[in-house]
Amino acid sequence: MPDRTATAAEPTGGGESGPDDAGGGDDGAGDDPGQSDGPDRRVRVVDDGFAVSVDGGPFEAFVPRGVNLGMAKPGRFPGEAAITREEYDRWLAWMGELNVNVVRVYTVHPPAFYRALAAYNREHADPIHLLHGNWIGEELLADAGDAFALSAEFDRSLRQAVDVVHGATTLDPEPGHASGTYDADVSDVVLGYIAGIEWPPTVVAETNRANDPGAYDGEYLSSTVDRPFERWLAERLDRAVAHEIDEYGTQRPAAFTNWVTTDPLSHPYEPFEAEDAVTVDPDAVVATDAYDAGTFAAYHVYPYYPPLLNETPEYANYVDHRGEPNSYAGYLNDLVGTTDHPLVVAEFGVPDSRGIAQRHVHGRDQGRHTENEQGEIVAAMYEDVREVGAAGGLVFSWHDEWFKRTWNLAPVSDSNRRPEWSNVQTPEQGFGLLTFDPANGVPLDGSEGAWTDATAATSAGSPVRVDDGSSGADGADGADGADGDRELTALRVTSDAAYLSIRLELADIGGTGGDGGGVDWDRTNYLVTLGLTGRSGVELPHGVDAVSSSTDFVVRLGGPDDSRVTVHPRYDAFAYLYGAEAGLDLSAYRDPDPGAFAPLRMTIGRGYTIPPTGERVPFQSVETGALRYGNGNPDSPEYDSLADVHVSPSTDAIEIRLPWLLLNVADPSRRRRLGDLWTDGVDAYEPFEAIDVAAATYVPADGEGGSDSTAAKPIDSRSTNLAHAVPGIEGGRLDTVAYVPPTWDEPAYTERLKESAEHLREAFGRYD
């Protein structure tokens, strides 16, 4: 593997840009222009996939091992077309190192992409081929209803894609699109075109309703059924192929995007009617004798949605080539067996996000995977694609995309500012093989260097000494017992574009290892309080007999299996958005009892009834506030990308990093948070000037690990049950230190290939 990290050039422009802001001028204009000087390649679709002929030689089988490349990057929406030539060059080089032989783009990229692709392929004997698409907005389709109303616009965008890959056009600036002079001819490596998006079933149904039935008889592609939507698709592809033949004397395979929702199969176990309401059948669009290149099927297939992939017994019980149950392979096997055209799985993958949005019956969930687990799953999915006889597969996606949102979290972040920060809670952001680590982030490995400029506080009071004794690493009682674990010497707070990070520095962590890092959790627990709203006089939980001058969230550290963040019930976004569905007593959230704090939860399913059986699958959520212990440094052999807490006996420190969205921060780049949910709703974002932070230690009441091990043991010598605190305790009130997070207009970050990339490199290499 090459060096897998790079410092990204800081983006330019931007500000309050939205998803339709234009960008993408002549980046690198004049560099590597001109006609293709590569070999003459012909591409055709054969019975079981693609075949390529080079310089008039025999057609040889070609199997796509690919990635999908979007047009966004940190600080930019995709419509700004802001990726630079330097970035394209670097990314294509890394793709080649990962044994990628196809890159798919959904729409026209800036000229820099095509120049970079041409340059890469001039320098490498094994080229990276291109599958090119044209994008049409789902909202535009929904507003039109009938797809025929958009025929002219769709045809124009497909013609543009053809002209662009031949390096023979100039596109004027247009909001939401790339523009510039396209002078790099990459047509020799174009494997084909995949038109359109995942078709909304409502649009398919309306198109079929609004138009007379009938087939399309084209010169190069025809439709074989009377459904108007397939007729519309056949005509669109036919016109694009005709344009390429007429203008450039060549032809490439063409297909359209499809997905599980509109596949031609019947799915009686699908609980949501819209997910099996209409059919868009690739087999209904066929090549004529004049179209030697041919057509194929292109499907986006993920393992966890729609629910039919979990609930259909035929899939859930399917035994794959490994001898294991595998619903994903079961569905693919069914789809490939039903489709006459060669089938490319044009999108597949799972995200490595901290948050989760869907469960999968065999563990390929939408989120909550480490980078290593992501790689293992994605590599296995590519194996599934190949073993069931599909023509190839394209991983989604090449890079993480900060602008993305996920259905269960979309309301709680500012849609206009999403590209400016890394929301590790949202699964849609984390599908990439390439990630963007925020600059100045702490490595979460105990090292002190990243904390130099952190806001710091020390204690104004002395710790209570219990002299209860605890075993050190060698089994001998420490001289100060567990008191060294309880004495806080400093509290440090810092942040970056993804996390608020907190470091507790202690007098002495008695042990040296183990999952808990050497702390005797039966004798010492830690509290960290966080306030953003100015909520004062809050009675703290866990029987510590203290109130806080400002608290909305409480972090309790009780060891690897007993640590979590909880929220003041009135500030619980989950309860506000989903509490009724979850069966919560909402009155306890609007007007909570003193000392009540609620677990932080994340919705992963709103419930449904399985049609053939009548079985009810209930509303489901997970406790996303539960904290995971590990080492968060990507350079460490013990790296755990999901780590929230690290205990470092060597530096007598405990470090915590908390995602911004976990703390109801809707836009950290502007220091804006959720407001009073029950009064103003979820989208009434409020500014905050600082985060009030405090830390404290206490002795758990049940040191033997009983049923109430979270509660504090009374300390007779003081007014609260807290053994020590930073900044301190006065009159039963826990004081706080104000941390003022920086704001920014452009996020600073570094690029890094995830651990998952190595798994894919190996899998692609085995199927080379």
Side-chain angles (χ1 to χ4, degrees):
M1 292 290 292
D3 180 9
R4 307 194 327 162
T5 60
T7 300
E10 188 165 318
T12 56
E16 295 288 342
S17 55
D20 292 329
D21 287 331
D26 282 327
D27 183 14
D31 186 19
D32 306 320
Q35 297 302 305
S36 169
D37 55 5
D40 176 33
R41 288 186 177 86
R42 294 177 62 199
V43 182
R44 65 169 54 150
V45 174
V46 294
D47 288 344
D48 55 357
F50 295 92
V52 177
S53 167
V54 179
D55 287 335
F59 279 91
E60 297 182 356
F62 181 91
V63 181
R65 308 182 304 270
V67 293
N68 287 272
L69 175 62
M71 210 157 63
K73 68 179 186 180
R76 293 290 184 268
F77 284 100
E80 296 178 81
I83 302 172
T84 67
R85 170 65 187 271
E86 181 184 12
E87 288 165 326
Y88 283 126
D89 283 336
R90 185 164 58 245
W91 296 355
L92 287 166
W94 278 344
M95 289 179 198
E97 292 287 344
L98 297 181
N99 295 315
V100 167
N101 66 5
V102 174
V103 59
R104 177 196 181 196
V105 296
Y106 300 98
T107 188
V108 171
H109 277 238
F113 167 71
Y114 305 91
R115 293 172 183 149
L117 182 63
Y120 176 90
N121 286 334
R122 279 196 299 270
E123 297 169 2
H124 294 82
D126 295 324
I128 294 178
H129 292 73
L130 177 64
L131 279 167
H132 210 297
N134 71 317
W135 187 262
I136 184 168
E138 186 173 345
E139 291 184 0
L140 184 64
L141 274 171
D143 290 343
D146 178 2
F148 279 91
L150 300 175
S151 296
E153 172 61 23
F154 199 78
D155 289 346
R156 182 179 76 95
S157 66
L158 267 177
R159 286 196 306 272
Q160 282 184 347
V162 171
D163 293 338
V164 160
V165 302
H166 284 275
T169 190
T170 296
L171 301 182
D172 294 331
E174 183 179 354
H177 299 271
S179 60
T181 299
Y182 291 83
D183 50 13
D185 185 351
V186 296
S187 60
D188 62 302
V189 295
V190 171
L191 194 66
Y193 302 96
I194 303 179
I197 65 171
E198 298 170 345
W199 307 109
T202 54
V203 173
V204 177
E206 176 59 19
T207 301
N208 289 339
R209 185 203 64 79
N211 297 276
D212 293 333
Y216 173 75
D217 185 15
E219 184 175 1
Y220 301 105
L221 290 118
S222 299
S223 64
T224 61
V225 297
D226 286 339
R227 288 190 299 269
F229 196 81
E230 278 95 332
R231 182 171 80 238
W232 181 78
L233 286 168
E235 185 174 3
R236 307 283 71 75
L237 295 180
D238 185 53
R239 292 190 176 201
V241 170
H243 175 69
E244 186 164 36
I245 291 173
D246 293 344
E247 293 295 322
Y248 305 105
T250 189
Q251 56 180 259
R252 288 292 188 264
F256 59 84
T257 301
N258 211 355
W259 59 323
V260 180
T261 293
T262 53
D263 72 15
L265 299 169
S266 175
H267 299 295
Y269 284 84
E270 173 54 50
F272 297 114
E273 183 177 351
E275 301 296 344
D276 195 37
V278 294
T279 288
V280 179
D281 189 355
D283 287 355
V285 177
V286 298
T288 69
D289 291 340
Y291 185 32
D292 181 63
T295 187
F296 57 98
Y299 278 89
H300 298 175
V301 187
Y302 295 89
Y304 41 75
Y305 196 87
L308 67 91
L309 295 167
N310 285 332
E311 304 299 347
T312 304
E314 177 187 354
Y315 301 153
N317 297 327
Y318 180 84
V319 177
D320 65 17
H321 66 284
R322 307 173 192 89
E324 300 172 355
N326 185 342
S327 70
Y328 186 72
Y331 171 78
L332 288 180
N333 183 69
D334 198 5
L335 189 65
V336 168
T338 306
T339 305
D340 290 336
H341 293 332
L343 188 150
V344 173
V345 181
E347 279 188 15
F348 70 92
V350 296
D352 69 335
S353 55
R354 186 184 184 280
I356 183 173
Q358 310 278 351
R359 289 287 195 199
H360 174 243
V361 66
H362 296 132
R364 297 175 175 182
D365 304 330
Q366 188 184 10
R368 197 59 186 170
H369 302 291
T370 66
E371 290 179 10
N372 188 62
E373 291 166 347
Q374 178 195 39
E376 291 174 341
I377 293 170
V378 172
M381 292 170 72
Y382 184 72
E383 290 179 1
D384 294 341
V385 167
R386 296 296 302 274
E387 294 295 335
V388 300
L394 311 174
V395 174
F396 183 84
S397 60
W398 169 246
H399 63 293
D400 286 346
E401 298 174 306
W402 288 10
F403 80 96
K404 288 289 188 71
R405 64 189 186 276
T406 307
W407 67 273
N408 54 355
L409 295 175
V412 293
S413 62
D414 183 348
S415 59
N416 293 317
R417 298 290 296 177
R418 286 185 183 125
E420 303 299 333
W421 57 290
S422 176
N423 183 1
V424 299
Q425 285 290 95
T426 192
E428 283 296 323
Q429 175 185 302
F431 280 93
L433 301 172
L434 178 74
T435 194
F436 304 101
D437 294 325
N440 303 316
V442 301
L444 202 75
D445 64 354
S447 56
E448 301 175 84
W451 299 91
T452 303
D453 297 325
T455 296
T458 56
S459 179
S462 300
V464 173
R465 305 194 70 79
V466 179
D467 296 325
D468 51 347
S470 71
S471 295
D474 59 0
D477 287 348
D480 294 326
D483 289 331
D485 288 353
R486 300 189 194 110
E487 182 178 348
L488 292 159
T489 60
L491 165 68
R492 301 184 189 275
V493 189
T494 187
S495 63
D496 55 49
Y499 301 101
L500 175 73
S501 296
I502 301 157
R503 180 179 170 99
L504 309 182
E505 296 182 357
L506 307 166
D508 178 35
I509 293 181
T512 59
D515 291 340
V519 173
D520 187 341
W521 298 104
D522 285 340
R523 290 179 170 86
T524 305
N525 280 192
Y526 303 87
L527 289 186
V528 175
T529 66
L530 303 164
L532 292 85
T533 69
R535 196 186 317 273
S536 62
V538 175
E539 184 176 320
L540 296 176
H542 307 299
V544 298
D545 285 353
V547 298
S548 171
S549 55
S550 176
T551 292
D552 297 295
F553 299 89
V554 172
V555 181
R556 174 184 165 270
L557 302 181
D561 299 319
D562 198 11
S563 298
R564 55 192 26 82
V565 187
T566 54
V567 60
H568 189 278
R570 191 168 174 85
Y571 206 37
D572 186 349
F574 171 86
Y576 177 79
L577 290 169
Y578 302 109
E581 296 174 66
L584 301 181
D585 177 7
L586 298 186
S587 64
Y589 289 82
R590 294 191 186 96
D591 187 19
D593 293 334
F597 275 75
L600 283 169
R601 286 166 286 199
M602 193 171 185
T603 306
I604 60 171
R606 305 183 75 165
Y608 53 79
T609 299
I610 304 171
T613 65
E615 178 187 354
R616 180 66 187 171
V617 175
F619 179 95
Q620 298 178 65
S621 65
V622 297
E623 186 182 359
T624 191
L627 299 177
R628 177 172 173 138
Y629 285 54
N631 188 315
N633 187 346
D635 295 328
S636 169
E638 300 173 344
Y639 174 53
D640 181 346
S641 60
L642 295 181
D644 303 306
V645 180
H646 180 76
V647 181
S648 175
S650 64
T651 56
D652 292 314
I654 300 175
E655 297 175 346
I656 311 164
R657 64 180 184 189
L658 302 173
W660 285 116
L661 202 68
L662 206 65
L663 305 177
N664 286 355
V665 176
D667 173 20
S669 72
R670 287 288 185 270
R671 285 203 302 260
R672 293 197 300 157
R673 60 170 177 82
L674 301 186
D676 188 330
L677 302 168
W678 300 96
T679 301
D680 302 321
V682 75
D683 56 355
Y685 308 131
E686 297 286 344
F688 66 94
E689 294 302 319
I691 301 175
D692 298 317
V693 187
T697 65
Y698 70 87
V699 182
D702 190 343
E704 302 304 318
S707 61
D708 194 23
S709 60
T710 71
K713 182 178 181 179
I715 300 177
D716 296 335
S717 62
R718 66 191 306 157
S719 60
T720 75
N721 296 328
L722 297 175
H724 202 204
V726 176
I729 308 166
E730 184 174 354
R733 178 183 293 265
L734 183 63
D735 294 330
T736 61
V737 59
Y739 169 68
V740 181
T743 59
W744 60 88
D745 291 321
E746 297 292 343
Y749 58 90
T750 57
E751 298 173 352
R752 175 177 57 84
L753 283 177
K754 298 177 184 177
E755 287 186 329
S756 53
E758 177 62 20
H759 289 276
L760 195 70
R761 184 198 64 78
E762 191 275 333
F764 279 178
R766 281 190 286 110
Y767 284 94
D768 192 343

